[in-house]
């Protein structure tokens, strides 16, 4: 059993279909550090077949019900689905995410569906690194469809969903008035807009609002134009149309080489992030805490400013 | 007039009481880059007299009404007040923050109150750097009280409010059930808890909930124990007690040397952040985009993984 915790053995087991090994590997990724890195490294050459769909939107917009319906849509094509439910703003909802999602329980007995929640550990940005790695582990496990769903709609959530190949942004009728939405960020990442709870008043206004946003964004003529799909997730209304829109976006990306470009851009951003973090930790390892403390006292006494202190840190490490 | 945009001249003017120079300096800080750095550097030796109070809590908790009441409480002591209203999750509310705050308008004609809103520019983390610099500019302008208020309660907001000397966390009766609150993050930063809208049912439960959280956190016996104050900001009920609690926390920090420690910890974290950013941009300036592109293609084709690519970036820059 102890051997199962070895990252390489875990990845071999999970790519052979071992769900307990998968759960353990995801826990290692969530914890971060050296083991996370090893898991991700071993998983990388084994992945590449999964397609990732991101789902974001304001709390209460109906994302989890919609995700439940999309799982069913994918399962009607007999495809296996992995779901990563992410909450970047709350360290305490790791359990609650799934607890709240009664509908998700419908899939508990379906071996073709794997659901995992992930919450922030420690500082902001931790999930931005862990979420794509978790998706890669799920990819190495062979799921052809990978869904990633976030709880909120802030900048952190947008960054997390930004790792997906196709990104669904869920709004409701009346969203423009009620939500202090991160509109610019949402517009930038949306490949498909969903107006969920479309049995309520205000669908036409929401649609007009989204159209106006798209007009303003001045897309090039050969760019993908995000379709706007109305759904009532509770009754499954419009969900097939939404699933079809995701399929069309996927076809568009694949036929225009957009998929490769998008994935490479994402890899580039991630490599930058890894480099920046390594260099940062190396810098502060090289600096003794006495040196840093001395500098901070000088700053606190306003003899030097923060930037001068930062310059001195860099000189002392490089010298 | 052109001379007014010179960072040094701006800082001299604003510390002499020139409000237009203050507004310009804050705009430079918000924009980031070299001018922001210069403004912050010139402002640093001129500051040190202001005391910062942070106010955070879920949207709708009544933070802006409470801030309005706290401004009035400070003004009764004849002290000048600067308010920085921050929204880390929305790039589009720069104007809206103040537009929504009808009550804040009460102070528009009071020259002893200065209110400024600040929204996210660009990526996450931008405000985490800009907000403390903006506070230092307000400090250099001589305001003895600096309030910083955030819109939401996610991890980004908690980091922004973390720069304050005393931090107020606003909840409502029933908050435990309704809000997917960042409880751990809030508990860590709270110096004073406020149960606002205390004319509603559930105050006792909210108080018991907060007490239970504090029990669990296992504070050392000589640590500050966050008091829990009930308020009805709409009617000013409890606001004097809240203001007194802030004053007690300030006295505690000053008498235990906690204030100096807290400020130095914050400066240390900021210096680290500045160093990390400088090193990151320097690293990628040294790397040609062809080299990086070649590496990314190797990653995309799964011949190497992201960490191996990151290692190679570091070798090529250092070699």
């Amino acid at each position: 059993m102890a051997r199962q915790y070895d990252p390489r053995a875990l990845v071999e087991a999970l790519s052979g279909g071992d769900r307990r090994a998968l759960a353990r590997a995801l826990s290692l990724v969530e914890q971060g550090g050296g083991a996370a890195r090893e898991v991700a490294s071993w998983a990388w050459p084994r992945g590449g077949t999964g397609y990732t769909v991101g789902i974001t939107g304001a709390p209460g917009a109906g994302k989890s019900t919609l995700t439940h319906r999309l799982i069913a849509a994918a399962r009607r094509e007999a495809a296996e689905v992995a779901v990563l439910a992410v909450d970047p703003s709350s360290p305490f909802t790791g359990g609650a995410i799934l607890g709240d999602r009664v509908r998700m329980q419908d899939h508990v007995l379906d071996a073709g569906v794997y659901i995992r929640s992930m919450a922030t550990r420690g500082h902001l940005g931790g999930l931005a690194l862990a979420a794509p790695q978790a998706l890669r582990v799920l990819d190495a496990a062979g799921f052809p469809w990978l869904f990633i769903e976030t709880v909120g709609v802030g900048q952190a959530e947008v960054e997390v969903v930004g790792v997906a190949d196709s990104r669904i942004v869920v709004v409701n009728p009346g969203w423009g008035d009620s939500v202090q939405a991160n509109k610019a960020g949402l517009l930038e990442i949306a490949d498909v807009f969903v107006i969920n709870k479309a049995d309520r008043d205000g669908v036409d206004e929401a649609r007009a609002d989204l159209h106006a946003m798209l007009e303003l964004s001045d897309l090039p003529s050969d760019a993908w134009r995000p379709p706007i799909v109305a759904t009532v997730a509770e009754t499954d209304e419009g969900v097939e149309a939404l699933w079809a829109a995701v399929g069309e976006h996927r076809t568009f990306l694949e036929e225009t080489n957009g998929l490769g470009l998008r994935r490479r851009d994402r890899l580039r951003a991630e490599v930058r992030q890894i480099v920046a973090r390594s260099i940062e930790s190396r810098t502060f390892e090289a600096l003794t805490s006495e040196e840093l403390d001395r500098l901070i006292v000088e700053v606190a006494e306003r003899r030097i400013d923060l930037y001068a202190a930062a310059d001195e840190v860099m000189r002392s490490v490089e010298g």
Side-chain angles (χ1 to χ4, degrees), chain A residues 222-224 249-261:
Chain A
D222 61 344
W224 172 257
H249 179 248
R250 179 178 184 163
T251 304
F252 174 86
L253 283 184
E254 285 168 349
E255 287 179 353
T256 58
N257 194 29
L259 187 59
L261 277 177

Side-chain angles (χ1 to χ4, degrees), chain A residues 27 33 39 54 61 68 80 182 190 217 237 256 288 299 318-319:
Chain A
S27 296
V39 168
H68 155 72
E80 295 198 319
N182 182 355
S217 70
E237 191 185 323
T256 58
T288 67
V299 176
E318 287 164 358

